[in-house]
Amino acid sequence: MLAAMPPTPPPTPEPGEARIRDRGDACPGALRLHPADDGRLARLRLPAGLLTPRQAEVLARAAETLGDGRISITSRGNAELRGLGEGCGAELADLLAGAGLLPSPTHERVRNVVASPGAGLDGLGHADVQLWARALDAALCAEPRAASLSGRFLFVLDDGRGDVAGLGGDVSLIAGRDGSVLLRIGSPGAPPRPGASEDFRLAADGGDTTDGGDTATVAVRAALAAALAFLDAAEAAGNGAWRPRELPDGHVPDWAGALARTGITAEPVPAPPLPVPRPPAPGPLGDHALHVLAPLGRLTAAQLRALADGADELRLTPWRGVVAVGARAGRLPDLEAHGLVTRPDLPSVGVSACTGRPGCAKSLADVRTDAALVRRGGLPVHYSGCERRCGHPHGTWVDVLATGDDTYLVDGVPTPRTSLPEAVTTARSLPTHTR
């Protein structure tokens, strides 16, 4: 079950230049564990972050009995277990499979689906993309070729409120008011390259009502067709591309042809500007759900159990939080007593950090300890132990980068560790237009 990960990345290409991948994708999964300084690491893909209460209990038990007792939430709303023992791979796989968390061992690392966590709960979106996510997951697992996607390839499903559309999806579906869907291919913010990105407006009726022409079905079929078109182009290119932006010039996927062959009516449209990702504030989300944040993105097993208590389902979010569906506002005091972030006025809102020391050998500092000293709220801030900046947020954020045991850069300004809380407080309070 276990496989070591040689974590040596190839050189970073110049802007606009295609990357050459000379090795397979070594992204960790639930069956391929990654060796770290604090033990093995397992990353469990949870499309749309979904966990049933029973699955949450299994995950909490796995963390307690096999790992360090904590569950990390990633910037894609997936879950990580750390501190795993050398020989626990088979036992972990059995636990996860028994809870329905490994529907396809061959596809477990490609089930990267982020969806608007509040969809269907607060009336703000135009479609329940949580249902789309479940259908897309089933379609991915049923398509043998989809197993060739890299563990980095990301599907993003936005219900029209704009909360996740800007999170760097390789294939994004954005619901429209009129029942139409915008299919966006390629990651926003990537260097512009011919064919690396394109936008299509999918007809509200899908153009084909003879084979499941409803909006959700058409959206899922379009997303899968785009992913397979990328695989065709990547295979022809031979550069080992993991994502559309890594394809070389001259290897443009036939996006329109792939959609047409699937029977989908799609009109190329100019790329609309993306909204700044805005996570929901901690607290009630509609009348029957709560949104809370995990301190620095990590839950204890007890915290996960507290969230699942009385909930219909949990949705892990890309902002390292959890939406407890079916929970009401009266539960907030108990969840706060468990150490969860339940109010928007707390200084820890928007604070994230990589693993840092002692868990990561590349880290130059214990950034999680330093991140816990933040004093006031404001802009999102991410503490990184090295220049890789693992897990950093999208949009505008304060960049806190360790350069040694007692030295940092705060948005590029050298800062001693003793002055870090004050420097971060100042940086978080700056207007976004000055950054």
Side-chain angles (χ1 to χ4, degrees), residues 386-411:
C386 75
E387 292 185 353
R388 294 184 303 168
R389 295 175 171 84
C390 294
H392 71 76
H394 288 263
T396 302
W397 49 283
V398 176
D399 180 29
V400 182
L401 175 66
T403 55
D405 282 329
D406 296 305
T407 56
Y408 281 86
L409 295 177
V410 178
D411 284 339

Side-chain angles (χ1 to χ4, degrees), residues 218-303:
V218 169
V220 168
R221 287 165 53 201
L224 184 60
L228 296 180
F230 160 72
L231 286 178
D232 289 338
E235 182 179 348
N239 72 323
W242 294 346
R243 312 182 75 175
R245 65 187 184 213
E246 296 177 357
L247 291 169
D249 293 342
H251 291 274
V252 178
D254 183 12
W255 307 119
L259 294 171
R261 288 189 293 274
T262 312
I264 296 173
T265 300
E267 175 191 3
V269 294
L274 284 173
V276 176
R278 297 189 184 280
L285 190 63
D287 295 330
H288 306 288
L290 301 176
H291 176 229
V292 303
L293 300 177
L296 294 180
R298 287 189 182 174
L299 294 169
T300 65
Q303 288 172 334

Side-chain angles (χ1 to χ4, degrees), residues 167-414:
L167 295 183
D170 297 292
V171 173
S172 300
L173 298 169
I174 305 172
R177 293 180 181 273
D178 58 355
S180 66
V181 180
L182 177 68
L183 171 66
R184 164 161 280 173
I185 303 167
S187 301
R193 302 183 57 255
S197 61
E198 198 160 353
D199 288 5
F200 295 89
R201 182 74 62 184
L202 307 182
D205 64 358
D208 177 7
T209 57
T210 63
D211 182 22
D214 62 280
T215 301
T217 301
V218 169
V220 168
R221 287 165 53 201
L224 184 60
L228 296 180
F230 160 72
L231 286 178
D232 289 338
E235 182 179 348
N239 72 323
W242 294 346
R243 312 182 75 175
R245 65 187 184 213
E246 296 177 357
L247 291 169
D249 293 342
H251 291 274
V252 178
D254 183 12
W255 307 119
L259 294 171
R261 288 189 293 274
T262 312
I264 296 173
T265 300
E267 175 191 3
V269 294
L274 284 173
V276 176
R278 297 189 184 280
L285 190 63
D287 295 330
H288 306 288
L290 301 176
H291 176 229
V292 303
L293 300 177
L296 294 180
R298 287 189 182 174
L299 294 169
T300 65
Q303 288 172 334
L304 183 57
R305 289 190 175 102
L307 284 163
D309 184 19
D312 298 326
E313 68 181 34
L314 301 181
R315 301 175 183 177
L316 307 191
T317 77
W319 308 289
R320 295 180 170 85
V322 182
V323 172
V325 180
R328 298 177 181 268
R331 291 279 341 268
L332 286 172
D334 177 61
L335 295 177
E336 185 167 345
H338 276 85
L340 294 161
V341 181
T342 63
R343 294 182 282 119
D345 58 341
L346 296 175
S348 53
V349 173
V351 180
S352 58
C354 70
T355 297
R357 287 182 177 172
C360 178
K362 293 183 179 293
S363 181
L364 300 176
D366 181 1
V367 292
R368 300 184 71 81
T369 294
D370 291 337
L373 301 177
V374 68
R375 295 176 179 173
R376 291 185 184 176
L379 289 172
V381 54
H382 185 71
Y383 291 70
S384 303
C386 75
E387 292 185 353
R388 294 184 303 168
R389 295 175 171 84
C390 294
H392 71 76
H394 288 263
T396 302
W397 49 283
V398 176
D399 180 29
V400 182
L401 175 66
T403 55
D405 282 329
D406 296 305
T407 56
Y408 281 86
L409 295 177
V410 178
D411 284 339
V413 178

Side-chain angles (χ1 to χ4, degrees), residues 55-243:
Q55 289 170 337
E57 170 56 33
V58 169
L59 200 55
R61 190 163 69 248
E64 285 179 327
T65 60
L66 303 177
D68 64 3
R70 294 179 179 270
I71 301 94
S72 297
I73 304 175
T74 76
S75 59
R76 293 181 168 189
N78 291 319
E80 285 185 352
L81 300 176
R82 300 189 67 95
L84 298 168
E86 183 75 22
C88 74
E91 184 178 357
L92 175 63
D94 287 343
L95 278 173
L96 298 178
L101 290 169
L102 286 178
S104 173
T106 56
H107 291 66
E108 62 98 3
R109 294 189 311 124
V110 305
R111 302 167 65 229
N112 292 302
V113 183
V114 169
S116 297
L121 299 177
D122 56 7
L124 295 182
H126 308 315
D128 190 349
V129 293
Q130 289 282 322
L131 299 179
W132 296 13
R134 299 172 200 189
L136 177 57
D137 183 33
L140 281 172
C141 292
E143 171 53 60
R145 286 197 65 216
S148 298
L149 293 169
S150 83
R152 317 293 176 94
F153 196 95
L154 177 63
F155 296 89
V156 167
L157 314 180
D158 192 298
D159 69 357
R161 73 182 70 203
D163 59 341
V164 298
L167 295 183
D170 297 292
V171 173
S172 300
L173 298 169
I174 305 172
R177 293 180 181 273
D178 58 355
S180 66
V181 180
L182 177 68
L183 171 66
R184 164 161 280 173
I185 303 167
S187 301
R193 302 183 57 255
S197 61
E198 198 160 353
D199 288 5
F200 295 89
R201 182 74 62 184
L202 307 182
D205 64 358
D208 177 7
T209 57
T210 63
D211 182 22
D214 62 280
T215 301
T217 301
V218 169
V220 168
R221 287 165 53 201
L224 184 60
L228 296 180
F230 160 72
L231 286 178
D232 289 338
E235 182 179 348
N239 72 323
W242 294 346
R243 312 182 75 175

